[in-house]
Amino acid sequence: YSYLRSIFPLFRQLAKEHRFLLRIVGAGREEEVPGVDVEFLPWRLERELADLQSFDLALYPIIPDAWAEGKSGFKAIQYLSCGIPYVATPAGVVAQIGCEGQTHLVATSEGEWLDALRRLLSDPALRERMSREGRRYAVEHYSVRAHAQALAEIFGNVVKRKGRR
């Protein structure tokens, strides 16, 4: 949540130019962002997919530090899998997920965050294109089908090892 909080000032600026709802899921606490329509939802497993699918775009801000280097990038994979265009800080493994400019946008400075969010908020065709590309990328790189042969080999090796005992 602290990563997201780091870009709260940008939402105030964007709200002067665009009408949007900032939906925050699983923050654990509610906080007002002056001038911005904010909805806080507690994270619930049974509602996680529906919550994600309700997003027009998503955010993945990270402060590049030792903690960020250890993050798994799972949130980016979820966004791709659900076809959600997103803006991310290219830190750690997150920088290696997706195709910048095709499945998502990247931002490291306040100016880059503002530019990326403005582009996505004002261009539904870009969001739609990134949505399709993100979903295609997720299926190609992260689906069971994409990893079926490797999984079969792993399971086969486990069975062989157990048979030797």
Side-chain angles (χ1 to χ4, degrees), residues 48-140:
E48 182 177 34
L49 181 58
D51 286 343
L52 285 169
Q53 290 173 330
S54 74
F55 297 167
D56 291 324
L57 62 101
L59 310 167
Y60 201 161
I62 303 171
I63 297 169
D65 58 14
W67 179 258
E69 291 298 319
K71 292 186 76 61
S72 69
F74 184 65
K75 188 64 64 189
I77 295 168
Q78 284 183 303
Y79 294 156
L80 292 168
S81 297
C82 290
I84 306 166
Y86 64 97
V87 182
T89 306
V93 73
V94 175
Q96 300 166 22
I97 296 172
C99 295
E100 179 186 339
Q102 294 175 23
T103 60
H104 67 283
L105 300 175
V106 298
T108 56
S109 67
E110 285 189 5
E112 288 174 355
W113 272 97
L114 276 172
D115 289 345
L117 291 170
R118 283 178 178 134
R119 278 184 67 195
L120 288 173
L121 285 169
S122 63
D123 192 342
L126 175 62
R127 290 195 311 269
E128 179 61 32
R129 197 167 46 253
M130 287 185 153
S131 175
R132 282 192 313 274
E133 284 301 308
R135 177 70 183 147
R136 183 196 57 73
Y137 186 94
V139 168
E140 185 177 308

Side-chain angles (χ1 to χ4, degrees), residues 21-38:
L21 171 67
L22 177 62
R23 180 172 292 135
I24 301 174
V25 179
R29 64 177 184 186
E30 296 185 15
E31 185 174 341
E32 187 174 326
V33 182
V36 179
D37 293 328
V38 183

Side-chain angles (χ1 to χ4, degrees), residues 157 159-165:
N157 289 335
V159 168
K160 286 178 190 174
R161 286 187 190 139
K162 285 194 174 223
R164 291 185 206 152
R165 291 185 184 176

Side-chain angles (χ1 to χ4, degrees), residues 135-147:
R135 177 70 183 147
R136 183 196 57 73
Y137 186 94
V139 168
E140 185 177 308
H141 292 89
Y142 301 109
S143 67
V144 172
R145 184 181 314 157
H147 296 280

